[in-house]
Amino acid sequence: MKRSKKRIEPRKIYVKTKYRNIEKILAISSGKGGVGKSTISGFFSMYLAQKGYKVGLLDLDLYGPSCHLVLGANIKEYPKEEKGVVPPVAQGVYFMSSVFYTENRPLVVRGSGLNDAAIELLTITNWPDLDYLIIDMPPGLGDILLDVSELLPARFVVITNQSRISMESVNKLISYIKDQNLPFLGIVENMKMIEDNFIEMESKTQGIFYLGKVDFYPDIEKYYGNKREFSNSKLYEDISKIWEKLNGKI
Amino acid sequence: MHEWALAKSVIDAVINIEKEEELPSITEVVVGIGELQDIDIDIFKQAISDIKLNTPLNKARFVYKTIPAFLKCNNCGHKWPYKKSIEHLSEEERENIHFVPETAHIYIHCPVCGSMDFEMIEGRGVFIEEIKKAH
């Protein structure tokens, strides 16, 4: 009899096989916090759902989850269980987030704990057959970025605002994506307040695809959890133009 | 019932790490079940039995070993059994830890220094402890 006694953690192996069947996973990322990854992830998911696609949204910003606000999701109730956890639907989007299990309290953990929590969510969530899975990534470069790039066939969409400070950090993420040869769909300029072409030019210089801009909308909160208002908004038009370019790339 | 997803992760992992031609020779898989996640062992066993049926592991015996959970404070170094902390937790807090064990960091503090900065040094999650083959 042969024995193999090495302890094996099954979840990472499982996640790799489980998610390789979801063809279109978009990781909405940025090197910088506060540039609007969660709003873009949330509204982009709502947009795709309204276009008739079956969309999932996974909030992996475990230190500061906020997609539930954009979708207006009810986080007071546990997701149902059926051979795993069934993501509840909000605004037509299948949604999963750590907030269902944290009572919206702060999760203060070190990197290894962050990895474990993210992999647990990826393991236990039973997504239906999706056309798109949108992942709201945490800001910066770190544990979750490494997990997503190693375990999932994700394609990266990078969000920045028009400031040079933001782009300085975003460039570091882009550098990582290029170095690792990860699928990179392009860059979105969010919360645009003044007319300039700094991000567009910077994209050209670096050979990055510029997917377009989303203007700064001071009243954006009125679209949270309100797909009807959202679908009649200028924000919807901005997202729609980005989708046209993105769809061509996908 | 998210025990099913964890059970599926065990079966899929064994199938993926072992060579295809060796899978039918697997006679026993020892599964370690960490105490921290408070997994319903009957549901987990049933899930394993059902999932393995249509796989090359259908004849393998699955043996289950409960692993006691221990926590260690990163601030003062104190080490303590998770059992001591669980007494103070509500039903809902235990349920949250059941789904995502890291939520323990929200509810549990080091009994010596009060820090939330601790590590789960043993007994978190589900592991494959041993794979035995006939030849």
Side-chain angles (χ1 to χ4, degrees):
Chain A
M1 182 186 285
K2 272 207 291 190
R3 285 172 163 218
S4 159
K5 275 199 99 166
K6 196 176 144 201
R7 180 179 271 191
I8 297 156
E9 145 72 279
R11 295 175 307 156
K12 280 193 175 185
I13 302 162
Y14 175 59
V15 165
K16 266 191 180 178
T17 54
K18 177 178 169 170
Y19 284 79
R20 72 176 166 216
N21 296 328
I22 304 180
E23 207 184 318
K24 291 163 185 169
I25 301 179
L26 306 184
I28 311 295
S29 322
S30 180
K32 192 76 180 162
V35 296
K37 285 178 301 302
S38 301
T39 45
I40 296 285
S41 299
F43 285 123
F44 192 60
S45 303
M46 277 165 70
Y47 173 81
L48 290 175
Q50 282 184 278
K51 298 286 280 182
Y53 293 108
K54 212 166 192 179
V55 187
L57 172 59
L58 174 63
D59 193 340
L60 282 187
D61 187 356
L62 302 179
Y63 286 144
S66 54
C67 287
H68 55 286
L69 292 175
V70 183
L71 291 185
N74 174 15
I75 58 167
K76 296 262 161 71
E77 277 178 32
Y78 281 123
K80 289 197 173 79
E81 285 185 78
E82 202 184 312
K83 297 186 176 178
V85 172
V86 181
V89 178
Q91 308 303 313
V93 175
Y94 295 87
F95 176 57
M96 182 46 66
S97 167
S98 59
V99 284
F100 290 116
Y101 307 107
T102 60
E103 301 172 51
N104 211 10
R105 288 166 65 178
L107 185 63
V108 186
V109 285
R110 289 176 183 265
S112 59
L114 208 60
N115 288 126
D116 265 326
I119 291 166
E120 197 72 26
L121 284 178
L122 287 164
T123 302
I124 65 175
T125 307
N126 267 350
W127 300 100
D129 286 336
L130 296 174
D131 295 312
Y132 293 95
L133 175 61
I134 309 297
I135 301 179
D136 181 30
M137 297 286 288
L141 315 165
D143 302 272
I144 304 286
L145 174 65
L146 290 170
D147 277 337
V148 167
S149 42
E150 285 165 13
L151 300 178
L152 308 179
R155 305 167 197 210
F156 286 79
V157 174
V158 172
I159 314 294
T160 184
N161 62 29
Q162 65 188 137
S163 85
R164 281 155 179 77
I165 288 178
S166 169
M167 200 59 199
E168 183 76 0
S169 302
V170 167
N171 275 334
K172 292 183 176 65
L173 171 64
I174 292 170
S175 180
Y176 166 77
I177 292 171
K178 284 181 172 174
D179 183 78
Q180 294 295 296
N181 282 322
L182 300 171
F184 184 21
L185 296 172
I187 192 163
V188 172
E189 186 179 10
N190 190 29
M191 298 191 282
K192 186 154 184 161
M193 294 174 82
I194 48 167
E195 279 310 312
D196 79 356
N197 61 358
F198 167 65
I199 302 297
E200 218 170 335
M201 295 311 291
E202 183 78 4
S203 307
K204 259 188 196 160
T205 312
Q206 292 201 42
I208 303 163
F209 193 70
Y210 180 77
L211 288 163
K213 51 116 186 165
V214 175
D215 283 328
F216 177 72
Y217 297 102
D219 58 348
I220 196 164
E221 291 184 3
K222 73 181 180 193
Y223 309 128
Y224 288 0
N226 191 337
K227 58 183 176 187
R228 191 173 292 171
E229 282 262 356
F230 167 61
S231 62
N232 292 315
S233 68
K234 176 85 174 32
L235 170 66
Y236 184 92
E237 286 173 30
D238 287 350
I239 301 268
S240 170
K241 283 178 193 158
I242 288 166
W243 167 242
E244 278 166 29
K245 284 192 177 180
L246 200 53
N247 198 19
K249 294 270 289 176
I250 295 170
Chain B
M1 293 270 280
H2 82 296
E3 279 84 355
W4 276 80
L6 298 172
K8 185 137 184 19
S9 78
V10 169
I11 302 268
D12 278 21
V14 175
I15 289 171
N16 274 281
I17 53 181
E18 292 293 329
K19 287 184 189 141
E20 203 177 334
E21 63 271 20
E22 290 196 10
L23 286 171
S25 69
I26 292 175
T27 53
E28 190 174 301
V29 178
V30 180
V31 182
I33 297 179
E35 179 191 43
L36 204 138
Q37 205 159 3
D38 195 22
I39 282 170
D40 186 320
I41 189 72
D42 291 334
I43 294 176
F44 189 83
K45 280 180 180 173
Q46 186 60 52
I48 290 278
S49 301
D50 287 6
I51 297 165
K52 76 172 185 176
L53 276 182
N54 297 316
T55 75
L57 298 177
N58 60 348
K59 291 198 176 113
R61 194 165 80 100
F62 280 74
V63 176
Y64 304 94
K65 212 167 93 181
T66 303
I67 301 172
F70 285 91
L71 311 175
K72 186 183 174 192
C73 179
N74 284 322
N75 184 45
C76 72
H78 178 65
K79 188 177 154 187
W80 76 101
Y82 173 65
K83 263 186 187 155
K84 273 197 170 176
S85 294
I86 202 171
E87 297 157 8
H88 311 290
L89 301 178
S90 70
E91 189 81 9
E92 196 179 359
E93 289 165 349
R94 287 183 198 200
E95 190 74 349
N96 289 335
I97 296 169
H98 170 62
F99 282 104
V100 181
E102 284 60 45
T103 57
H105 289 270
I106 297 170
Y107 311 113
I108 295 174
H109 295 70
C110 170
V112 172
C113 73
S115 172
M116 293 167 95
D117 181 11
F118 59 83
E119 275 174 59
M120 298 165 180
I121 51 172
E122 188 70 9
R124 187 232 176 270
V126 172
F127 290 91
I128 298 159
E129 297 280 333
E130 196 176 346
I131 297 173
K132 293 178 190 171
K133 292 176 199 161
H135 49 78

